[in-house]
């Protein structure tokens, strides 16, 4: 079964601390994974995708097929990073279906 | 224009009403989506249109009826809804319905069913 697991509902860190938002997936084929972010009162938007291997707003995520993980990391958290973060897995390749994890709220304290 | 727009922003309706949600994009995307999002939960896919044809219906009750009049517009017709249907309804679009194209989301319509 295709599934995305984000084990933490809430992650609270101080400004300047490192951040790691965990994401594990279950998928029998070749996975495509994404991180979406939803800031307060803003629309859901793509943060990054594993195939582009970019760093966006200081965030990176590496696909680890052995551990079936796609954790999101940032070395130094900023207050403006506070938001809801969703890990998502692309469903069957002939559809645009996204399978979302339950989401992790990141709270960065001053 | 690089945004997905949705109207109305808020909608309150009774269980006997008929209403429609509208979604529009002018990015030339050929796939459009309806999602339902409850508070503090992830979006749940409802429907996918690909090249103006319904390609996915995630077993959504018939009181929700999607329509794609053209490649830029997507409607969701609502009839005889229940209070548990109250949620944020999100529209999204992507270049195509196949593969891992980025989905662009609208701001949503906050629906309350009394």
């Amino acid at each position: 079964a295709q599934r995305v697991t984000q084990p933490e509902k809430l992650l609270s860190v101080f400004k300047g601390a490192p951040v790691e938002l965990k994401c594990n997936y279950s998928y029998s084929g070749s996975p495509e994974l994404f991180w979406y972010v939803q800031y307060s009162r803003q629309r859901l938007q793509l943060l990054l995708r594993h195939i582009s291997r970019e760093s966006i707003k200081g965030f990176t995520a590496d696909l680890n097929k052995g551990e079936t993980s796609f954790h999101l990391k940032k070395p130094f958290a900023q207050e403006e990073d506070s938001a809801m973060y969703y890990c998502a897995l692309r469903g069957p390749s002939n559809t645009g279906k996204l399978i979302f994890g339950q989401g992790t709220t990141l709270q960065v304290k001053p | 224009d690089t945004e997905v727009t949705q109207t109305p922003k808020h909608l309150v309706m009774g269980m006997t009403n008929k209403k429609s949600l509208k979604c529009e994009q002018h990015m030339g995307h050929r796939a459009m989506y309806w999602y339902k999002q409850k508070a503090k939960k992830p979006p749940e896919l409802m429907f996918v249109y690909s090249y103006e044809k319904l390609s996915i219906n995630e077993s959504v009750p018939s009181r929700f009826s999607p329509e794609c009049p053209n490649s830029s517009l997507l409607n969701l017709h609502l009839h005889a809804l229940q209070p548990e249907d109250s949620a944020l309804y999100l529209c999204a679009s992507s270049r195509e319905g196949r593969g891992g194209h980025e989905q662009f989301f609208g701001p949503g319509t906050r629906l309350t069913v009394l």
Side-chain angles (χ1 to χ4, degrees):
Chain A
Q2 298 163 357
R3 189 167 57 246
V4 177
T5 304
Q6 293 179 251
E8 301 139 329
K9 273 191 175 179
L10 172 67
L11 184 62
S12 186
V13 302
F14 285 102
K15 178 182 168 182
V19 168
E20 183 179 53
L21 297 161
K22 290 185 169 32
C23 172
N24 289 91
Y25 66 91
S26 172
Y27 188 64
S28 57
S30 184
E32 279 189 54
L33 286 142
F34 307 83
W35 277 98
Y36 277 83
V37 61
Q38 195 165 28
Y39 300 102
S40 179
R41 296 193 186 87
Q42 292 188 30
R43 63 186 69 197
L44 193 62
Q45 57 188 286
L46 180 68
L47 180 62
L48 52 79
R49 49 169 47 161
H50 91 269
I51 57 172
S52 63
R53 303 184 68 83
E54 291 174 300
S55 171
I56 305 291
K57 299 185 178 183
F59 285 97
T60 58
D62 289 317
L63 178 61
N64 185 323
K65 289 187 180 179
E67 295 183 359
T68 59
S69 69
F70 188 56
H71 303 327
L72 183 68
K73 298 178 184 178
K74 185 168 183 177
F76 307 104
Q78 303 300 313
E79 288 181 70
E80 55 265 30
D81 296 328
S82 296
M84 173 70 90
Y85 291 80
Y86 291 104
C87 184
L89 170 69
R90 178 182 58 81
S93 61
N94 62 344
T95 75
K97 183 172 179 178
L98 283 177
I99 299 159
F100 285 91
Q102 290 299 303
T104 298
T105 300
L106 175 63
Q107 185 182 77
V108 181
K109 297 179 283 191
Chain B
D1 190 348
T2 57
E3 279 197 344
V4 175
T5 58
Q6 291 187 243
T7 55
K9 283 187 180 178
H10 302 275
L11 179 61
V12 179
M13 59 187 290
M15 289 191 284
T16 57
N17 292 157
K18 279 186 183 182
K19 296 286 184 183
S20 296
L21 309 184
K22 294 185 187 307
C23 173
E24 195 165 356
Q25 57 86 16
H26 295 287
M27 295 179 278
H29 290 172
R30 303 312 300 268
M32 296 185 78
Y33 311 78
W34 279 116
Y35 289 86
K36 174 181 177 181
Q37 187 178 25
K38 291 279 205 180
K40 306 282 189 190
K41 296 288 186 185
E44 295 173 32
L45 183 67
M46 299 174 73
F47 302 104
V48 180
Y49 272 83
S50 182
Y51 290 87
E52 294 128 68
K53 288 186 170 34
L54 183 65
S55 60
I56 295 180
N57 176 341
E58 292 284 289
S59 304
V60 179
S62 59
R63 57 186 184 269
F64 295 91
S65 175
E67 180 198 17
C68 190
N70 60 56
S71 60
S72 300
L73 291 173
L74 186 66
N75 298 321
L76 186 63
H77 303 298
L78 314 172
H79 174 53
L81 294 194
Q82 304 296 310
E84 59 265 28
D85 296 322
S86 298
L88 183 68
Y89 287 84
L90 298 172
C91 175
S93 71
S94 65
R95 197 167 63 182
E96 289 202 4
R98 296 169 179 262
H101 296 289
E102 176 182 353
Q103 291 188 20
F104 291 79
F105 284 83
T109 293
R110 177 82 54 192
L111 175 67
T112 303
V113 182
L114 301 176

